[in-house]
């Protein structure tokens, strides 16, 4: 299955995919969306956003693979692809996803003290906000 770049007019289709997967996703700024289709149906998607135009980092969010397609390497394939297109990337993910991000995608898990020095202010604020609902979030960064 091939990774496709979502054209601007596909935003509604992509958002419908997330909604069907019970995932709240939104476009945040200067966004790039990538997806995988099978039989004209979106089965996986990820969004990379430049939240602040002058930011050094891209923010990876909304990496979702339809449950029937999980454990086939699609998430790893998408992570590898977006890291070739966007560097450095920061993402927040549940602790259960550590192996995917560190071993398969070769990203680095930031320690709590490194989050303070590494992340720009706008991403730190976003992390603090997200952790209120999901305290198990970890920070991963590509180099």
């Amino acid at each position: 299955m091939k990774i496709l770049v979502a054209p601007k007019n596909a935003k509604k289709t992509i958002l419908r995919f997330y909604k069907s997967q019970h995932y709240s996703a939104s476009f945040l700024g200067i966004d790039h969306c990538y997806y995988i289709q099978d039989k004209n149906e979106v089965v996986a998607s990820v969004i990379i956003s430049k939240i602040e135009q002058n930011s050094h980092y891209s923010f990876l969010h909304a990496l979702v693979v339809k449950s029937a397609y999980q454990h086939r390497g699609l998430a790893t394939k998408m992570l590898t692809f977006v890291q070739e297109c966007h560097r450095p990337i920061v993402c927040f993910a549940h602790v259960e996803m550590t192996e995917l991000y560190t071993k398969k995608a070769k990203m680095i898990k930031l320690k709590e003290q490194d989050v303070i020095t590494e992340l720009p202010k706008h991403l730190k604020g976003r992390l603090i906000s997200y952790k209120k609902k999901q305290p198990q979030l970890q920070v991963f960064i590509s180099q």
Side-chain angles (χ1 to χ4, degrees), residues 23-99:
Y23 188 90
S24 176
S26 61
F27 294 98
L28 303 175
I30 302 167
D31 304 297
H32 300 274
C33 184
Y34 304 93
Y35 66 102
I36 296 174
Q37 274 187 315
D38 186 30
K39 300 174 188 146
N40 292 324
E41 174 188 16
V42 176
V43 297
S45 184
V46 66
I47 301 171
I48 305 292
S49 298
K50 277 276 197 191
I51 298 170
E52 289 191 357
Q53 194 167 10
N54 296 329
S55 178
H56 178 63
Y57 292 102
S58 293
F59 182 55
L60 182 148
H61 57 108
L63 173 61
V64 175
V65 177
K66 191 173 181 176
S67 59
Y69 289 82
Q70 291 177 357
H71 306 290
R72 296 185 189 185
L74 297 181
T76 302
K77 183 177 181 175
M78 292 187 87
L79 287 168
T80 301
F81 180 84
V82 297
Q83 286 184 84
E84 291 172 5
C85 302
H86 307 275
R87 286 211 180 239
I89 292 175
V90 171
C91 73
F92 311 146
H94 194 276
V95 68
E96 293 174 355
M97 304 304 291
T98 299
E99 184 175 327

